[in-house]
Coordinates of all heavy atoms in Angstrom, one line a residue:
M1 N 103.4 96.9 91.6 CA 102.9 95.7 92.3 C 104.1 94.7 92.4 O 104.1 93.9 93.4 CB 101.7 95.1 91.7 CG 100.5 96.0 91.8 SD 100.0 96.3 93.5 CE 99.5 94.7 94.1
D2 N 104.9 94.6 91.4 CA 106.1 93.7 91.4 C 107.3 94.3 92.1 O 108.1 93.6 92.6 CB 106.4 93.3 90.0 CG 105.3 92.4 89.4 OD1 104.5 91.8 90.1 OD2 105.1 92.4 88.2
V3 N 107.5 95.6 92.0 CA 108.7 96.3 92.5 C 108.7 96.4 94.0 O 109.7 96.2 94.7 CB 108.8 97.6 91.8 CG1 110.0 98.4 92.4 CG2 109.1 97.4 90.3
L4 N 107.5 96.8 94.6 CA 107.5 97.1 96.0 C 107.3 95.9 96.8 O 106.6 95.0 96.4 CB 106.3 98.1 96.3 CG 106.3 99.5 95.6 CD1 105.1 100.2 95.9 CD2 107.6 100.2 96.0
S5 N 108.0 95.9 98.0 CA 107.8 94.7 98.9 C 106.4 94.9 99.6 O 105.8 95.9 99.5 CB 108.9 94.8 100.0 OG 108.7 95.8 100.9
G6 N 106.0 93.8 100.3 CA 104.7 93.9 101.0 C 104.7 95.0 102.0 O 103.7 95.8 102.1
G7 N 105.7 95.2 102.7 CA 105.8 96.3 103.7 C 105.8 97.6 103.1 O 105.2 98.6 103.6
E8 N 106.5 97.8 102.0 CA 106.5 99.1 101.3 C 105.1 99.4 100.8 O 104.6 100.6 100.8 CB 107.5 99.1 100.1 CG 108.9 99.1 100.6 CD 109.9 98.8 99.4 OE1 109.5 98.2 98.4 OE2 111.1 99.1 99.6
K9 N 104.4 98.4 100.3 CA 103.0 98.7 99.8 C 102.1 99.1 101.0 O 101.3 100.0 100.8 CB 102.4 97.4 99.2 CG 103.0 97.0 97.8 CD 102.5 95.7 97.4 CE 103.4 95.1 96.2 NZ 103.0 93.7 95.9
Q10 N 102.3 98.4 102.1 CA 101.5 98.8 103.3 C 101.8 100.2 103.7 O 100.9 101.0 104.1 CB 101.7 97.8 104.4 CG 101.0 96.5 104.1 CD 101.3 95.4 105.1 OE1 102.3 95.4 105.8 NE2 100.3 94.5 105.3
R11 N 103.0 100.6 103.8 CA 103.4 101.9 104.2 C 102.9 103.0 103.2 O 102.4 104.1 103.6 CB 104.9 102.0 104.4 CG 105.4 101.3 105.7 CD 106.8 101.5 105.9 NE 107.7 100.9 105.0 CZ 108.3 99.7 105.2 NH1 108.1 99.1 106.3 NH2 109.0 99.2 104.2
L12 N 102.9 102.7 101.9 CA 102.4 103.6 100.9 C 100.9 103.8 101.1 O 100.4 104.9 101.0 CB 102.7 103.1 99.5 CG 102.3 104.0 98.4 CD1 103.1 105.3 98.4 CD2 102.7 103.3 97.0
E13 N 100.2 102.7 101.4 CA 98.7 102.8 101.6 C 98.5 103.7 102.9 O 97.5 104.5 102.9 CB 98.1 101.5 101.8 CG 96.6 101.5 101.9 CD 95.9 102.1 100.8 OE1 96.4 102.0 99.6 OE2 94.8 102.7 101.0
L14 N 99.2 103.5 103.9 CA 99.1 104.4 105.1 C 99.3 105.8 104.8 O 98.6 106.7 105.3 CB 100.0 103.9 106.2 CG 99.6 102.5 106.8 CD1 100.7 102.1 107.7 CD2 98.3 102.5 107.4
A15 N 100.3 106.1 103.9 CA 100.5 107.5 103.5 C 99.4 108.1 102.7 O 99.0 109.2 102.9 CB 101.8 107.6 102.7
R16 N 98.7 107.3 101.9 CA 97.6 107.7 101.1 C 96.4 108.1 102.1 O 95.7 109.1 101.8 CB 97.1 106.6 100.2 CG 98.0 106.4 99.0 CD 97.5 105.3 98.1 NE 96.2 105.7 97.5 CZ 95.2 104.9 97.2 NH1 95.2 103.6 97.5 NH2 94.1 105.4 96.7
I17 N 96.3 107.4 103.2 CA 95.2 107.7 104.2 C 95.5 109.1 104.8 O 94.6 109.9 105.0 CB 95.2 106.6 105.2 CG1 94.6 105.3 104.6 CG2 94.3 107.1 106.4 CD1 94.9 104.1 105.5
L18 N 96.8 109.3 105.1 CA 97.1 110.6 105.7 C 96.8 111.8 104.7 O 96.4 112.9 105.2 CB 98.6 110.7 106.0 CG 99.1 109.7 107.1 CD1 100.6 109.8 107.2 CD2 98.5 110.0 108.4
I19 N 96.9 111.6 103.5 CA 96.6 112.6 102.5 C 95.1 112.8 102.2 O 94.6 113.9 102.2 CB 97.4 112.3 101.2 CG1 98.9 112.4 101.4 CG2 96.9 113.2 100.0 CD1 99.7 111.9 100.3
R20 N 94.4 111.6 102.1 CA 93.0 111.7 101.7 C 92.0 111.9 102.8 O 91.0 112.5 102.6 CB 92.7 110.4 101.0 CG 93.5 110.2 99.7 CD 93.0 109.1 98.9 NE 91.6 109.4 98.5 CZ 91.0 108.9 97.5 NH1 91.7 108.2 96.6 NH2 89.8 109.2 97.2
R21 N 92.4 111.5 104.0 CA 91.5 111.7 105.2 C 90.1 111.3 104.9 O 89.1 112.1 104.9 CB 91.5 113.1 105.7 CG 92.9 113.5 106.2 CD 92.8 114.8 106.9 NE 94.1 115.1 107.4 CZ 94.4 116.3 108.0 NH1 93.5 117.2 108.2 NH2 95.6 116.5 108.5
P22 N 89.9 110.0 104.7 CA 88.5 109.5 104.5 C 87.6 109.6 105.8 O 88.1 109.8 106.9 CB 88.7 108.0 104.1 CG 90.0 107.6 104.9 CD 90.8 108.9 104.8
E23 N 86.3 109.4 105.6 CA 85.4 109.4 106.7 C 85.5 108.1 107.5 O 85.3 108.1 108.8 CB 84.0 109.6 106.3 CG 83.7 111.0 105.7 CD 82.2 111.1 105.3 OE1 81.3 110.7 106.0 OE2 82.0 111.7 104.2
F24 N 85.7 107.0 106.9 CA 85.9 105.8 107.5 C 86.9 104.9 106.8 O 87.2 105.1 105.6 CB 84.5 105.0 107.7 CG 83.9 104.6 106.3 CD1 84.2 103.4 105.8 CD2 83.1 105.5 105.7 CE1 83.7 103.1 104.5 CE2 82.5 105.1 104.5 CZ 82.8 103.9 103.9
I25 N 87.4 103.9 107.5 CA 88.4 103.1 106.8 C 88.4 101.7 107.5 O 88.1 101.6 108.7 CB 89.8 103.7 107.0 CG1 90.8 102.9 106.1 CG2 90.3 103.8 108.4 CD1 92.1 103.7 105.8
I26 N 88.6 100.7 106.7 CA 88.7 99.3 107.2 C 90.1 98.8 106.8 O 90.5 98.8 105.6 CB 87.6 98.4 106.5 CG1 86.3 98.9 106.9 CG2 87.8 97.0 107.0 CD1 85.1 98.2 106.2
F27 N 90.9 98.4 107.8 CA 92.2 97.8 107.6 C 92.1 96.3 107.8 O 91.6 95.9 108.8 CB 93.2 98.3 108.6 CG 93.6 99.8 108.5 CD1 93.1 100.7 109.4 CD2 94.5 100.2 107.5 CE1 93.5 102.0 109.3 CE2 94.8 101.5 107.4 CZ 94.4 102.4 108.3
D28 N 92.6 95.6 106.9 CA 92.7 94.1 107.0 C 94.2 93.8 107.1 O 94.9 93.7 106.2 CB 92.1 93.4 105.8 CG 92.1 91.9 106.0 OD1 92.5 91.4 107.1 OD2 91.7 91.2 105.0

């Protein structure tokens, strides 16, 4: 949480979505 920049955290979260393939998702 301290090492990654905001953009890196967001890109990592998008990668998690690609892997997990949830039924629904809410992006804020």
Side-chain angles (χ1 to χ4, degrees):
M1 291 301 292
D2 293 334
V3 171
L4 298 175
S5 71
E8 289 169 339
K9 290 174 193 171
Q10 288 177 329
R11 287 186 290 260
L12 185 59
E13 184 60 31
L14 293 172
R16 290 181 64 215
I17 292 165
L18 296 175
I19 293 168
R20 297 189 61 151
R21 293 190 180 178
E23 291 182 44
F24 64 91
I25 189 160
I26 299 172
F27 290 107
D28 184 5

